[in-house]
């Protein structure tokens, strides 16, 4: 297996709006990230992924860009970014930016021009269609509810927006758009950044006859997926971007690819494909989805989770590479979702971290995960800020009559704002996030859960994550070792091995508050063993053929033949 720095790295994702505010306006900013670089050095991470920091009217918190070469007013100025990049590099920390080019903001000059007239030189930068029988060009629905088409009086035509109306999709069929993207990517890489996370990159190629999508029973709109996800020219476009720009720099690229399966993924990240280094898949994040998707959230089954993660481990082990994540700015907090954020908060947070970091792939830590931040439940809908929540509430409750309390429960369990409450630095007012009024309310448990109370506590989740990151640098088997699941049918234990030459790591994780017995399969032989990490006291010489596991217990052993 080819060795690469980005396979050995641990990435820390920052949502700048909620990370650290330095000028008292209640909104996190780039100087706040600069201020916390030493904390990130202390944590031990190698790469920072910054969510969008570009000029934006923030209809979708920066994922709607109005100028790709300028900094969002709230976050600071370009000099702040240049300083951050220089100081990060001084500490050996690399920085990835978020490339959002499936769509732009409707306030981007390209769109301002494009909507003026049908023969405007920027017209084909976007996807404009005639209406059909006075209605939208087809039945596609937006990810954020409603139609994916917006009527525009100026030219009596509709433009496509897979996300909000203020996020019109860019027309990648137009070589001018692809050139624009190459130029802005090269511009940032020449500034010295270390790569990109690419937003919904699997959606950039649309089938050009734009047929109606399949429509579920009772649904208001059709699904654009079959005609716009992993579309006909997506690989051609990525190869072109790679050949013209990306391949000329020592960087890392990770694509966000909803709808990818391991087979499809190998087309994006296969070593011989010259497209991307790795991608984010969503199958484990869709667990529990019901009739209304994540808005009818059902129970989680470990068997299903193990099956999905194993499929991806084995599916990409020859020539591919996985991205490993439990959390990001679109997902709820994992300790509340797959763990227990009350009685076994610490144990389950550590177990989940271990289970993920021991898998083959590059681990991503989302801000606050390293201190065990949890989901929040704001009583009033007005306390929420996420456009996806409001649009879903309007469609499901106000249009389709879903029960308010049922919807609020789904928002508590799966809403994106769970990930966007301010970072909890200490127990002072506003958790040390801001001296002003935070743009979104804090999680009231910040007095108990915060960085300051965990830094010097060797038994804290924070110091446990530091250890996970440290042992990765000391154990090549943890990075390059082959993955093999054991006890596959067990409903409470997730156990697997990682093997590299004659070294084998045995990973044991109890995903329940019960005390199941772990039984070591006979075919796993070893002469000596060493306990690498565990979230409970465990004695080195203890026999591991049978272990009565404690609630949410995890252990990792190095087995030497
Ligand atoms: O997310 C794309 C995406 O797939 C999300 O819609 C995701 O599935 C959903 O939010 C989960 O409920 C990316 C960004 O990560 C997200 O923050 C943006 O809102 C979106 O693209 C549009 O840019
Ligand atoms: Ca600020």
């Amino acid at each position: 297996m080819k060795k690469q720095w980005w396979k050995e790295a641990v990435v820390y994702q920052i949502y700048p709006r909620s990370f650290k505010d330095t000028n008292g306006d209640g909104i996190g900013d780039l100087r706040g990230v600069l201020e916390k670089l030493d904390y990130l050095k202390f944590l031990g991470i190698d790469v920072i992924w910054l969510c969008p920091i570009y000029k934006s009217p923030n209809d979708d918190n920066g994922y709607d860009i109005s100028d790709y070469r300028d900094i969002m007013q709230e976050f600071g100025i370009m000099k702040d970014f240049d300083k951050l990049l220089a100081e990060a590099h001084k500490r050996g920390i690399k920085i990835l930016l978020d490339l959002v080019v499936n769509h732009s903001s409707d306030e981007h000059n390209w769109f301002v021009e494009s909507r003026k007239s049908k023969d405007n030189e920027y017209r084909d930068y976007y996807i404009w269609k005639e209406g059909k029988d006075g209605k939208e060009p087809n039945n596609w629905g937006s990810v954020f509810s409603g139609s994916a088409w917006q009527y525009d009086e100026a030219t009596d035509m509709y433009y496509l927006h897979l996300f909000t109306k203020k996020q019109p999709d860019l027309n990648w069929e137009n070589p001018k758009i692809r050139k624009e993207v190459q130029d802005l990517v090269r511009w940032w890489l020449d500034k010295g950044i270390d790569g990109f996370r690419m937003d919904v990159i699997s959606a950039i190629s649309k089938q050009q006859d734009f047929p109606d999508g399949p429509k579920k029973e009772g649904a208001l709109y059709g699904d654009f997926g079959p005609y716009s996800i992993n579309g006909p020219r997506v690989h051609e476009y990525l190869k072109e971007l790679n050949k013209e720009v990306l391949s000329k720099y020592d960087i890392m690229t990770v694509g966000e690819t909803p709808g990818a399966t391991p087979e499809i993924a190998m087309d994006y990240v296969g070593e011989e494909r010259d497209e991307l280094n790795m991608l984010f898949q969503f199958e484990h994040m869709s667990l529990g989805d019901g009739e209304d998707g994540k808005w009818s959230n059902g129970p989680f089954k470990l068997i299903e989770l193990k099956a999905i993660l194993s499929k991806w481990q084995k599916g990409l082990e020859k020539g591919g590479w996985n991205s490993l994540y439990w959390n990001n700015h679109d997902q709820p907090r994992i300790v509340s979702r797959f763990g227990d954020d009350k009685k076994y908060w610490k144990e389950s947070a550590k177990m989940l971290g271990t289970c993920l970091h021991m898998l083959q792939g590059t681990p991503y830590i989302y801000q606050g995960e390293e201190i065990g931040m949890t989901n929040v439940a704001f009583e009033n809908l007005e306390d929420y800020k996420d456009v996806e929540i409001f649009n879903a509430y309007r469609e499901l409750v106000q249009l389709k009559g879903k029960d308010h309390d049922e919807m609020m429960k789904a928002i508590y369990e799966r809403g994106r704002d769970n990930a966007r409450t301010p970072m909890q630095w200490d127990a002072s007012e506003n958790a040390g996030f801001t001296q002003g009024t935070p743009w979104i309310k804090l999680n009231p448990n910040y007095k108990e859960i915060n960085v300051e109370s965990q830094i010097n506590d060797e038994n804290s989740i924070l110091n446990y994550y530091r250890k996970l990151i440290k042992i990765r640098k000391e154990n090549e088997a943890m990075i390059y070792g082959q993955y093999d699941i054991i006890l596959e049918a067990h409903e409470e234990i997730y156990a697997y091995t990682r093997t590299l030459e004659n070294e084998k790591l045995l990973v044991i994780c109890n995903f329940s508050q019960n005390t199941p017995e772990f039984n070591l399969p006979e075919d796993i032989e070893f002469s000596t063993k060493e306990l690498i990490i565990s979230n409970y006291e465990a004695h080195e010489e203890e026999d591991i053929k049978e272990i009565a596991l404690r609630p949410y217990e995890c252990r990792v052993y190095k087995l030497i033949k």
Side-chain angles (χ1 to χ4, degrees):
M1 178 174 299
K2 216 152 126 208
K3 297 192 172 166
Q4 301 276 9
W5 62 263
W6 40 265
K7 290 183 179 178
E8 300 169 9
V10 174
V11 182
Y12 190 86
Q13 180 192 356
I14 292 179
Y15 195 72
R17 202 174 187 82
S18 302
F19 194 63
K20 182 69 175 73
D21 171 27
T22 58
N23 66 345
D25 64 356
I27 297 174
D29 44 53
L30 292 178
R31 289 188 183 169
V33 181
L34 178 66
E35 185 189 302
K36 295 297 180 180
L37 281 181
D38 290 333
Y39 163 72
L40 296 175
K41 188 67 187 160
F42 166 79
L43 178 58
I45 56 98
D46 308 286
V47 179
I48 292 172
W49 154 24
L50 281 176
C51 281
I53 60 172
Y54 319 89
K55 210 162 201 54
S56 168
N58 284 304
D59 189 52
D60 185 18
N61 288 4
Y63 280 93
D64 48 316
I65 299 169
S66 54
D67 185 337
Y68 287 96
R69 291 179 177 76
D70 199 0
I71 300 294
M72 187 191 294
Q73 186 268 325
E74 292 102 322
F75 289 176
I77 56 175
M78 190 58 77
K79 244 167 72 253
D80 295 328
F81 176 76
D82 296 342
K83 179 141 172 70
L84 171 60
L85 184 60
E87 289 298 321
H89 284 170
K90 264 199 209 134
R91 293 165 176 78
I93 294 176
K94 295 176 185 282
I95 291 193
L96 308 183
L97 290 189
D98 209 315
L99 182 67
V100 187
V101 288
N102 171 70
H103 46 268
S104 76
S105 164
D106 65 346
E107 297 183 27
H108 191 295
N109 181 54
W110 294 340
F111 191 74
V112 172
E113 287 299 316
S114 181
R115 71 189 321 168
K116 280 184 178 162
S117 66
K118 295 180 181 177
D119 55 7
N120 182 288
E121 66 175 301
Y122 290 96
R123 186 65 170 184
D124 291 337
Y125 272 41
Y126 295 87
I127 299 168
W128 293 94
K129 294 288 174 204
E130 300 283 352
K132 236 188 239 143
D133 326 326
K135 287 197 296 105
E136 290 90 3
N138 68 21
N139 69 357
W140 291 5
S142 157
V143 174
F144 294 155
S145 311
S147 168
W149 297 94
Q150 177 63 25
Y151 176 73
D152 200 63
E153 255 177 41
T155 55
D156 184 29
M157 287 180 81
Y158 292 80
Y159 65 84
L160 178 69
H161 61 89
L162 295 183
F163 295 91
T164 75
K165 295 186 178 69
K166 289 182 67 59
Q167 291 171 298
D169 281 52
L170 292 168
N171 176 20
W172 278 71
E173 295 286 323
N174 180 349
K176 287 186 187 160
I177 276 290
R178 303 201 301 270
K179 178 77 174 52
E180 294 275 11
V181 172
Q182 288 165 21
D183 294 349
L184 72 93
V185 165
R186 187 181 301 107
W187 188 82
W188 281 103
L189 291 173
D190 287 344
K191 276 177 84 66
I193 68 165
D194 307 286
F196 285 99
R197 176 264 188 188
M198 300 185 183
D199 191 58
V200 258
I201 204 68
S202 56
I204 61 177
S205 169
K206 283 76 176 172
Q207 189 171 311
Q208 291 303 298
D209 57 350
F210 294 88
D212 275 345
K215 206 169 160 189
K216 273 194 303 191
E217 183 62 35
L220 297 173
Y221 297 98
D223 175 9
F224 60 73
Y227 307 111
S228 183
I229 295 291
N230 309 314
R233 300 179 67 186
V234 68
H235 296 294
E236 173 198 340
Y237 296 154
L238 287 174
K239 280 183 195 323
E240 181 187 60
L241 181 59
N242 193 305
K243 180 166 163 294
E244 299 299 325
V245 185
L246 302 173
S247 57
K248 302 178 187 340
Y249 300 83
D250 176 18
I251 57 170
M252 112 182 225
T253 54
V254 52
E256 186 206 25
T257 54
T261 61
E263 297 70 35
I264 291 171
M266 284 306 286
D267 291 342
Y268 285 104
V269 302
E271 270 161 4
E272 313 318 316
R273 295 284 298 183
D274 296 329
E275 298 184 25
L276 303 174
N277 297 140
M278 59 186 100
L279 54 76
F280 291 119
Q281 60 90 11
F282 287 80
E283 294 186 339
H284 63 316
M285 288 291 116
S286 311
L287 282 172
D289 282 13
E291 183 203 339
D292 298 326
K294 67 180 185 178
W295 305 120
S296 33
N297 183 41
F300 134 79
K301 293 194 186 66
L302 180 64
I303 290 285
E304 294 173 0
L305 175 67
K306 295 198 292 188
I308 289 170
L309 295 178
S310 296
K311 182 180 71 173
W312 280 89
Q313 289 285 295
K314 301 311 280 184
L316 273 62
E317 74 180 354
K318 293 205 172 23
W321 191 254
N322 275 287
S323 303
L324 309 172
Y325 73 99
W326 284 139
N327 293 288
N328 65 31
H329 61 293
D330 291 335
Q331 302 297 335
R333 296 282 182 177
I334 202 66
V335 69
S336 301
R337 185 175 182 186
F338 292 168
D340 170 346
D341 60 10
K342 297 186 178 46
K343 188 171 180 194
Y344 296 107
W345 163 70
K346 190 180 284 188
E347 293 80 3
S348 63
K350 292 178 179 180
M351 180 280 288
L352 288 161
T354 307
C355 178
L356 190 81
H357 284 241
M358 285 295 167
L359 291 172
Q360 186 186 69
T362 299
Y364 290 73
I365 299 173
Y366 178 69
Q367 67 184 49
E369 179 184 337
E370 78 276 18
I371 59 171
M373 281 178 65
T374 70
N375 281 353
V376 72
F378 295 142
E379 196 171 327
N380 306 314
L381 187 61
E382 295 65 45
D383 290 329
Y384 287 91
K385 302 298 180 188
D386 177 17
V387 63
E388 183 184 45
I389 288 176
F390 289 117
N391 288 10
Y393 187 94
R394 193 175 313 112
E395 179 165 304
L396 293 172
V397 177
Q398 292 165 345
L399 279 183
K400 293 176 76 175
K402 187 182 180 85
D403 172 71
H404 167 83
D405 294 341
E406 213 182 304
M407 183 62 184
M408 291 311 288
K409 180 172 174 296
I411 291 172
Y412 296 158
E413 292 169 354
R414 297 286 299 273
R416 304 194 301 178
D417 279 340
N418 281 307
R420 301 173 181 192
T421 58
M423 180 63 179
Q424 299 169 196
W425 295 105
D426 56 43
S428 70
E429 198 189 356
N430 295 324
F433 165 71
T434 180
Q435 301 299 323
T437 305
W439 71 275
I440 186 171
K441 283 184 174 176
L442 281 93
N443 186 318
N445 64 14
Y446 72 86
K447 290 199 169 38
E448 293 80 41
I449 301 177
N450 59 67
V451 170
E452 188 181 56
S453 68
Q454 294 190 27
I455 282 215
N456 302 318
D457 167 1
E458 64 170 289
N459 190 33
S460 67
I461 298 171
L462 175 58
N463 283 308
Y464 190 90
Y465 264 76
R466 288 184 66 219
K467 191 171 180 190
L468 275 176
I469 295 168
K470 186 165 167 294
I471 57 179
R472 185 181 179 79
K473 298 190 181 349
E474 299 158 352
N475 291 276
E476 227 182 31
M478 191 172 163
I479 300 171
Y480 296 112
Q482 175 181 308
Y483 165 96
D484 294 292
I485 191 164
I486 59 177
L487 311 180
E488 194 161 4
H490 205 292
E491 296 188 348
E492 294 177 320
I493 296 173
Y494 186 2
Y496 56 88
T497 59
R498 302 287 309 283
T499 309
L500 188 66
E501 288 131 23
N502 71 350
E503 191 174 300
K504 189 186 288 298
L505 296 175
L506 168 65
V507 182
I508 307 166
C509 296
N510 176 12
F511 267 73
S512 76
Q513 60 192 332
N514 306 323
T515 57
E517 183 171 78
F518 167 80
N519 295 296
L520 184 70
E522 270 134 36
D523 61 353
I524 295 186
E525 290 149 359
F526 59 93
S527 57
T528 63
K529 70 177 191 305
E530 177 196 346
L531 181 64
I532 303 276
I533 192 169
S534 64
N535 63 349
Y536 280 86
E537 278 306 306
H539 305 300
E540 194 72 61
E541 61 297 328
E542 183 184 341
D543 175 6
I544 62 171
K545 290 206 173 36
E546 284 172 18
I547 305 172
L549 293 173
R550 287 158 282 192
Y552 295 101
E553 179 165 7
C554 67
R555 301 186 189 185
V556 179
Y557 287 94
K558 182 188 294 190
L559 306 180
I560 307 297
K561 273 257 165 60

